[in-house]
Amino acid sequence: MKILVTGGCGYIGSHTVVDLLNENYDVVIIDNLSNSKKDVIEKIKKITGKNVTFYEFDMCSKEKLREVFEKENISSVIHFAGLKAVGESVEKPLMYYENNLISTLNLLELMKEYNVKKIVFSSSATVYGNPKSLPIKEDFPLSTTNPYGTTKLMIERILKDLYQANNSFDITILRYFNPIGAHFSGLLGEDPNGIPNNLMPYIMKVAVGKLPILSVFGNDYNTIDGTGVRDYVHVCDLSYGHVLALKNPKPGLKIYNLGTGRGTSVLELINTFEKVNGVTINKKIVGRREGDIDACYASIDKAKEELGFEPRYNIEDMCKDSYNFVKKSN
Ligand code: NAD
Ligand code: UD1
């Protein structure tokens, strides 16, 4: 079985490619390297001892995408490719709508034309907006607060309409909570350019002295210690969720949360990182970040029951693996 992985050089995509190769799938990657590096391909080969086919181009080019469908005998698609920085999407909304929507429309049109019916799509917990209660279940109301989130919600809607019109499609929408951690080899992980927006990449840069101090955004939230609570999930658990989604025999359109079902506050995450890695994270409390919510964590009952999804790694593991990666890559 040949799986097309779009955005396969990125953070979650690269870990998923490793899992797919380890499960003996053939893998074809498309990535324009707008937020990743080519050496990821070599690292994937080093970890798995297997080969992968790589195409470097922008999926907004339908003609280039057609060449891949023409040449490769694709049986299923996992669609990670997309831009994902919330703040940037507020500043450059048209770039986000164009990149995320056009690439997805091109992909879906070609899947239809070449009779490829199975797709797993990367959505996000951001589509739940400010949830009315916790834990968040898949049938909660949906809303977004920024263009990035709106592209995810729009693509979910497109997929639902496509299925409505053609129910031979087999569509899985995975709503990720907060992926952190890295491959245990230290070869793959998240290493954003410039100043990171997300908490764990920021902690990692402070830990290795690349940034001087972490700002904790608010300590007056309605949570255990006043700092924001999120559902952090190890990227290797998340990536394996995609293998389970591919293997899921249930047909139709399915939606699953992928997280751990457990909330961790900003201070709890920092304390754990310091404890397991024997480092000190220089930090200061500052005001809230606009748009942030108090707490967000998943109900993963549906993914457990229908996919057999069972997170294997805890917060300690996530902190250890993140530090191992950042030490090796600096
Ligand atoms: P990432 O930026 O590391 O990976 C995305 C990859 O897609 C990058 O390698 C990038 O170069 C590529 N890409 C972007 N636009 C492209 C295009 N037009 N053509 C070809 N390649 C293109 O991001 P990630 O963290 O691995 O996220 C993967 C997916 O999961 C994204 O769709 C993201 O929105 C979604 N997601 C991520 C998170 C998270 O916290 N990391 C949370 C929820 C959802
Ligand atoms: C962010 C995105 C969300 C995306 C998710 C997944 C925003 C507003 N939301 O969510 O759309 O789906 O990432 O990657 O960007 N924090 C600090 N200091 C920092 C960075 C973060 O205190 O330097 C706090 C935040 O206030 C929050 C927690 O850490 O309470 C987690 O933040 P972050 O990693 O950015 O993730 P989310 O806010 O959940």
Side-chain angles (χ1 to χ4, degrees):
M1 286 247 285
K2 200 177 263 189
I3 316 296
L4 171 61
V5 181
T6 77
C9 294
Y11 175 45
I12 307 168
S14 58
H15 288 82
T16 304
V17 170
V18 166
D19 284 343
L20 291 171
L21 293 172
N22 285 339
E23 299 264 333
N24 292 322
Y25 290 98
D26 288 327
V27 176
V28 174
I29 293 177
I30 299 173
D31 202 302
N32 66 354
L33 304 180
S34 59
N35 196 37
S36 51
K37 298 191 184 86
K38 199 172 183 174
D39 65 2
V40 163
I41 301 290
E42 288 313 311
K43 291 174 177 172
I44 290 171
K45 287 181 187 167
K46 194 169 173 191
I47 291 169
T48 61
K50 296 196 175 150
N51 260 321
V52 52
T53 308
F54 173 52
Y55 293 90
E56 181 185 340
F57 65 86
D58 186 332
M59 289 173 61
C60 292
S61 162
K62 193 169 178 186
E63 283 324 300
K64 290 207 176 116
L65 197 52
R66 180 186 300 282
E67 283 170 27
V68 176
F69 275 85
E70 195 61 52
K71 194 160 167 218
E72 307 286 348
N73 189 16
I74 307 287
S75 54
S76 305
V77 176
I78 307 183
H79 181 34
F80 293 104
L83 297 173
K84 63 163 186 175
V86 172
E88 187 184 50
S89 80
V90 175
E91 284 159 28
K92 299 175 184 166
L94 297 183
M95 183 171 109
Y96 271 66
Y97 287 116
E98 179 175 349
N99 187 76
N100 292 2
L101 296 178
I102 305 284
S103 57
T104 304
L105 288 172
N106 287 345
L107 178 68
L108 295 175
E109 281 159 4
L110 288 165
M111 285 179 68
K112 193 158 169 273
E113 198 177 317
Y114 285 82
N115 208 27
V116 179
K117 292 297 175 60
K118 197 173 178 103
I119 180 166
V120 178
F121 171 64
S122 304
S123 189
S124 165
T126 194
V127 299
Y128 294 114
N130 197 348
K132 62 179 172 20
S133 63
L134 294 168
I136 299 171
K137 291 189 168 178
E138 287 84 351
D139 59 3
F140 273 26
L142 305 178
S143 69
T144 59
T145 52
N146 57 72
Y148 162 70
T150 308
T151 67
K152 291 293 170 195
L153 200 49
M154 288 170 92
I155 294 169
E156 287 203 8
R157 190 58 202 261
I158 290 168
L159 290 169
K160 286 173 193 167
D161 288 343
L162 177 66
Y163 180 71
Q164 190 83 24
N166 187 338
N167 63 16
S168 65
F169 267 95
D170 181 337
I171 298 172
T172 306
I173 292 170
L174 298 177
R175 293 182 182 147
Y176 313 150
F177 281 65
N178 292 57
I180 59 171
H183 192 263
F184 67 86
S185 63
L187 291 174
L188 301 175
E190 188 172 32
D191 185 14
N193 291 328
I195 300 193
N197 301 302
N198 297 117
L199 180 59
M200 181 54 98
Y202 209 112
I203 294 176
M204 289 155 69
K205 296 237 177 202
V206 174
V208 292
K210 289 218 155 180
L211 287 170
I213 190 162
L214 169 76
S215 294
V216 175
F217 297 145
N219 65 351
D220 57 351
Y221 285 106
N222 185 19
T223 61
I224 174 176
D225 56 22
T227 63
V229 164
R230 297 291 183 274
D231 184 342
Y232 298 97
V233 54
H234 198 295
V235 66
C236 293
D237 280 329
L238 190 66
S239 62
Y240 199 68
H242 295 73
V243 176
L244 296 172
L246 271 188
K247 289 183 173 170
N248 185 11
K250 191 180 169 187
L253 186 137
K254 298 135 286 182
I255 302 177
Y256 302 104
N257 288 339
L258 291 185
T260 61
R262 297 192 46 221
T264 302
S265 76
V266 175
L267 291 180
E268 284 173 330
L269 189 67
I270 298 168
N271 292 340
T272 306
F273 192 98
E274 291 181 326
K275 192 182 84 198
V276 300
N277 295 317
V279 293
T280 302
I281 301 299
N282 204 7
K283 61 177 186 294
K284 62 177 179 202
I285 308 285
V286 300
R288 292 181 176 201
R289 179 173 68 180
E290 202 186 319
D292 273 353
I293 56 177
D294 300 56
C296 170
Y297 54 89
S299 161
I300 55 166
D301 292 351
K302 195 171 168 212
K304 278 187 176 176
E305 276 159 33
E306 294 186 14
L307 297 180
F309 178 70
E310 198 63 64
R312 298 156 291 179
Y313 303 106
N314 61 24
I315 288 288
E316 279 85 5
D317 302 319
M318 299 180 213
C319 289
K320 271 188 218 157
D321 291 342
S322 293
Y323 188 51
N324 179 42
F325 170 71
V326 77
K327 272 190 305 181
K328 286 201 171 145
S329 55
N330 277 280

